[in-house]
Amino acid sequence: MKTLAAVPVKDLENAKQRLVPVFSPEERRALARTMLEDVLDALGEASLDRVLVVTRDPEVIALARQHHASVLEEPENRGHTEAVALAQRMAADTGAQRFLTIPGDVPQVTPQEIATLVAAAPAGPGVVFVPSRSGFGTNGVLLSPPDLMRLKFGEPSFANHLIAARRGGLDPVILSLPGLGLDIDGPEDLRTLLENERKTRSRRLIQTLGLASCRGWTEP
């Protein structure tokens, strides 16, 4: 079955505001870009039918094309939920049978986790959810078909998605995937990323930035 995977990406210029106490604007921009590269690497190795980056940022557009991903340009930056809805419509319009979406700030996601998520799709109409590490957010969604239900992100989206799916008569599959579950938002997430043995671009970048000298940072 044809699967389209969508990655919504906001403008890099204003990325990762919760990391302001730790990183400069240039460092936050570099981290957001590097995390997206890690995500696109994993998606590219997962042998999906199509990978789509939803953005309006010219730098992100160029990066997506370097990684052989398609681009869906937004007229304006309206947020994660609206970007996913736009990609869902495109997936349905282009004949995809399944729609996968993950964020661009989960650098520890692996091709194997993505394959596990896709393989968990029910034979008929159904949905698979992957919660964030906190349990409040939704870091992965697989819908079959793509327009099966409306998605709305922002904590507590995981609980809200479960309620919405069940009200729609669905029996959602829930997967716990540690790499996909780790979205990098605050300084505490950086510590978890550094403790992970998987050598991603993002982990190497954080090590290079010398966090021991950053305000408010304590080495693990």
Side-chain angles (χ1 to χ4, degrees), residues 70-201:
S70 300
V71 174
L72 178 58
E73 293 190 45
E74 293 184 281
E76 57 183 328
N77 193 354
R78 296 180 299 164
H80 192 106
T81 294
E82 289 76 11
V84 170
L86 189 63
Q88 279 182 268
R89 290 194 292 272
M90 182 174 182
D93 291 343
T94 56
Q97 287 85 35
R98 295 182 298 199
F99 174 78
L100 167 67
T101 184
I102 67 175
D105 61 352
V106 287
Q108 290 295 317
V109 66
T110 67
Q112 293 76 24
E113 286 185 334
I114 294 168
T116 298
L117 176 51
V118 172
V127 57
V128 184
F129 292 124
V130 179
S132 64
R133 188 167 64 103
S134 69
F136 295 111
T138 310
N139 281 15
V141 181
L142 183 75
L143 296 175
S144 178
D147 56 359
L148 183 65
M149 63 177 286
R150 182 176 181 272
L151 301 171
K152 186 175 182 180
F153 294 87
E155 295 183 353
S157 68
F158 184 67
N160 290 341
H161 280 142
L162 290 181
I163 292 170
R166 288 165 178 158
R167 283 178 177 170
L170 301 170
D171 183 16
V173 177
I174 300 171
L175 293 180
S176 179
L177 300 172
L180 180 52
L182 177 61
D183 49 312
I184 306 301
D185 283 326
E188 67 281 2
D189 301 319
L190 298 174
R191 183 190 304 277
T192 304
L193 179 59
L194 283 175
E195 290 171 350
N196 194 296
E197 294 182 358
R198 188 162 181 262
K199 294 177 173 60
T200 59
R201 286 187 176 94

Side-chain angles (χ1 to χ4, degrees), residues 1-2 6 49 53-55 59 75 77 79 121 123 126 133 153-154 158 164 202 212:
M1 297 179 71
K2 183 179 177 182
D49 296 287
V53 175
V54 188
T55 189
E59 185 176 352
N77 193 354
R133 188 167 64 103
F153 294 87
F158 184 67
S202 302

